[in-house]
Amino acid sequence: MADIAWEQYIRADSKILVAFSGGPDSMYLLYRLKTLRKSVPFLLEAAHLHHGLREEADADLSFVEAVCRKWDIPLVVERADVAAYAAEKRMSIEEAGRAMRYRFFRRHKRKGGMIALAHHLDDQVETMLLRLIRGTGLEGIGGMSVRDGDLFRPLLGMTKDDILSALNERKIPYVVDRTNEEAIYSRNKVRLRIIPAAKAINPGFVQVMESFRKMAVEDASYLEEVAEASYRELAGCDASGLYIEDALFDLSPSVKGRVLRKAIAEVRGNLTNISYDHIGSIDELKDAESGKGIDLPGIRVQRSYGKVYIRSVESSESAVDAVSPLETETVWNGHRFVLDEALEGDFIRIEDPSRVVVRARLPGDRIKLKVGHKKIKDIFIDEKIDRQRRDRWPLVVEDGEVIWVVGLRKAYRQEEDKWQKLVWVPSKKI
């Protein structure tokens, strides 16, 4: 790998914790970092988690401790019962070990520091293939990055053979995990069966996959830029929640899918269990009448007067009690109402917060106009608010009189500048 990555990410004030198993990959990583420290005096430490799974684990630990003593590198060690954790959490041994390792590393990483991992190019290809087998898009094909949050993977440009050659040339010892040669885990099956078969067809398979990965990253980056621009143009938020304008359906399938995933992630906080087919099913709403919708995991997607609303299932099914803005900030059904003169946004002035509540509509609610009154129901109809959204729309009520159908209509009344400013901050999770 070109040394540019090391120089780009490591400075004198860097704090690096190496995930050190004693195997060839982490041994080479620790050696390279130890060598680099001679010219860049950063903080270098190592961490080893004893998994309690293999007979050789105690010997591996002794080897790791000896190396760190010889190289004068501080080492932190913990023992874990990975098998028990896997049984408790109903996870595979492979998943449980990974989860426990990363928690261990993050507990001992210095604040603002990095966790150095010895993933190399062969690992990258294994990751790509695993994701393809399980299902992924361009972003998943992008694989692992040299820097990903607090994770640092400076060996991603080197193959396993490169690492073994470097170790043998320098006569650097290492331990061998025999389970890596057993096809008992998914990753091992890819490494021991699929990749050798691919190399038999094309000896340059690993390098070809790396070229493919780079092209996927470039294409995904461009599509993300286009999708972000479309999202900013078409997405919005009103008193009923987050929506996307109907022009969504005119976008190319690739951009449309990314825009929808952005909106769903905004509402749900994640995209867990949201598949390609789920995203594609939203096309059913293109020619649907207002009020029609489909249910996806954790959300409901609904067509409404030229917009596609995305709401969490939990929010749309729960009743909400009235609240009074007696404090500086009050929350009603995800909407924030803030008493703040400096805050920008849609607002109304109120004389006495103790006389005001925020609530949903009630039968017979009306609002005062300059001439006469108007039913809240009629305002919703005029504004093309569908029935399902009306019972979750916030109203600001003073002494029993509706003074604000939030975001739609304010009552005719004489406000005074000395009254307090009540600002509405819309919810995106309805």
Side-chain angles (χ1 to χ4, degrees):
M1 179 179 183
D3 283 344
I4 181 74
W6 304 78
E7 297 169 357
Q8 180 180 352
Y9 294 106
I10 299 177
R11 303 181 301 273
D13 61 348
S14 295
K15 295 167 287 219
I16 299 179
L17 179 71
V18 178
F20 187 38
S21 69
D25 308 331
S26 66
M27 192 69 187
Y28 180 71
L29 174 60
L30 191 65
Y31 166 77
R32 285 295 306 269
L33 289 168
K34 174 186 76 77
T35 303
L36 181 62
R37 195 172 56 168
K38 294 177 182 178
S39 57
V40 184
F42 60 93
L43 177 63
L44 178 62
E45 298 170 305
H48 179 86
L49 184 66
H50 187 300
H51 290 61
L53 294 172
R54 299 180 297 111
E55 292 181 4
E56 304 93 338
D58 289 337
D60 291 353
L61 174 57
S62 297
F63 174 82
V64 163
E65 290 174 329
V67 168
C68 289
R69 280 196 302 271
K70 180 179 179 181
W71 287 353
D72 192 25
I73 296 172
L75 172 69
V76 59
V77 174
E78 281 187 12
R79 292 176 179 266
D81 190 341
V82 173
Y85 182 81
E88 176 190 349
K89 300 296 183 181
R90 297 183 179 180
M91 304 166 70
S92 69
I93 293 292
E94 188 179 20
E95 292 170 329
R98 184 180 187 279
M100 296 189 81
R101 282 195 301 275
Y102 278 81
R103 283 214 305 270
F104 164 60
F105 297 145
R106 289 194 166 106
R107 278 200 308 274
H108 295 284
K109 179 201 70 170
R110 301 279 182 158
K111 184 177 180 181
M114 296 185 289
I115 300 167
L117 303 171
H119 294 128
H120 47 72
L121 185 54
D122 294 67
D123 293 323
Q124 182 80 287
V125 172
E126 290 169 16
T127 297
M128 293 170 65
L129 290 173
L130 278 169
R131 290 179 179 177
L132 276 172
I133 291 167
R134 291 167 177 164
T136 190
L138 279 181
E139 287 77 9
I141 288 298
M144 299 178 284
S145 304
V146 172
R147 183 71 191 270
D148 182 10
D150 60 356
L151 304 180
F152 178 44
R153 302 183 181 95
L155 303 184
L156 281 179
M158 297 184 70
T159 65
K160 181 76 169 188
D161 287 343
D162 292 335
I163 292 171
L164 292 175
S165 294
L167 291 173
N168 292 333
E169 181 182 330
R170 295 167 176 81
K171 295 182 171 55
I172 298 173
Y174 53 85
V175 298
V176 176
D177 181 352
R178 302 298 174 190
T179 63
N180 286 335
E181 303 306 316
E182 301 172 7
I184 54 177
Y185 302 128
S186 298
R187 183 173 287 274
N188 288 15
K189 292 174 183 176
V190 169
R191 180 188 310 123
L192 300 174
R193 296 174 181 172
I194 296 177
I195 292 180
K199 285 183 175 179
I201 298 171
N202 179 4
F205 173 70
V206 169
Q207 287 72 24
V208 168
M209 287 293 287
E210 172 62 3
S211 297
F212 172 47
R213 186 194 68 81
K214 289 178 178 177
M215 288 187 285
V217 169
E218 291 169 357
D219 289 351
S221 177
Y222 171 74
L223 288 169
E224 174 62 21
E225 289 180 13
V226 176
E228 179 62 30
S230 297
Y231 185 75
R232 287 198 302 267
E233 178 184 354
L234 300 178
C237 186
D238 60 22
S240 191
L242 186 146
Y243 64 82
I244 308 172
E245 299 285 354
D246 256 2
L248 165 77
F249 295 112
D250 297 328
L251 299 174
S252 70
S254 181
V255 175
K256 177 174 57 182
R258 283 171 167 78
V259 169
L260 284 167
R261 281 191 285 271
K262 284 177 179 292
I264 292 170
E266 180 76 30
V267 171
R268 282 189 43 185
N270 59 66
L271 291 169
T272 304
N273 297 324
I274 298 294
S275 69
Y276 175 82
D277 289 338
H278 285 137
I279 297 297
S281 69
I282 296 173
D283 273 341
E284 297 173 13
L285 299 179
K286 180 177 180 180
D287 298 315
E289 62 186 40
S290 184
K292 295 293 184 181
I294 60 172
D295 294 309
L296 301 181
I299 59 167
R300 180 165 178 78
V301 183
Q302 189 168 27
R303 186 76 179 273
S304 178
Y305 296 106
K307 297 175 182 177
V308 176
Y309 280 85
I310 298 174
R311 308 185 184 97
S312 80
V313 170
E314 295 78 8
S315 298
S316 64
E317 293 177 348
S318 59
V320 185
D321 293 331
V323 296
S324 179
L326 293 174
E327 304 295 333
T328 303
E329 179 175 324
T330 300
V331 178
W332 186 89
N333 202 22
H335 300 271
R336 293 168 52 216
F337 291 88
V338 187
L339 293 167
D340 186 343
E341 287 295 326
L343 185 63
E344 297 291 330
D346 201 358
F347 71 93
I348 194 170
R349 291 199 174 273
I350 56 176
E351 183 177 10
D352 182 0
S354 67
R355 293 159 45 198
V356 173
V357 298
V358 180
R359 63 165 172 80
R361 65 172 180 163
L362 295 174
D365 272 343
R366 296 168 175 265
I367 191 169
K368 185 179 180 181
L369 307 180
K370 189 170 184 179
V371 177
H373 290 75
K374 187 166 187 173
K375 292 180 180 179
I376 303 302
K377 176 183 175 181
D378 292 337
I379 292 176
F380 286 145
I381 292 172
D382 292 346
E383 296 292 336
K384 295 183 170 55
I385 307 300
D386 62 68
R387 290 184 179 88
Q388 292 88 342
R389 297 161 60 197
R390 297 172 192 174
D391 290 333
R392 296 189 307 277
W393 201 284
L395 307 181
V396 176
V397 181
E398 183 180 50
D399 293 333
E401 295 288 331
V402 177
I403 60 172
W404 191 15
V405 183
V406 176
L408 299 179
R409 182 72 63 86
K410 295 177 184 176
Y412 178 75
R413 56 201 279 269
Q414 297 297 322
E415 293 185 357
E416 297 185 19
D417 290 339
K418 66 180 181 180
W419 290 359
Q420 296 186 59
K421 180 182 178 182
L422 182 66
V423 184
W424 166 53
V425 182
S427 166
K428 293 183 178 180
K429 298 188 176 182
I430 297 180

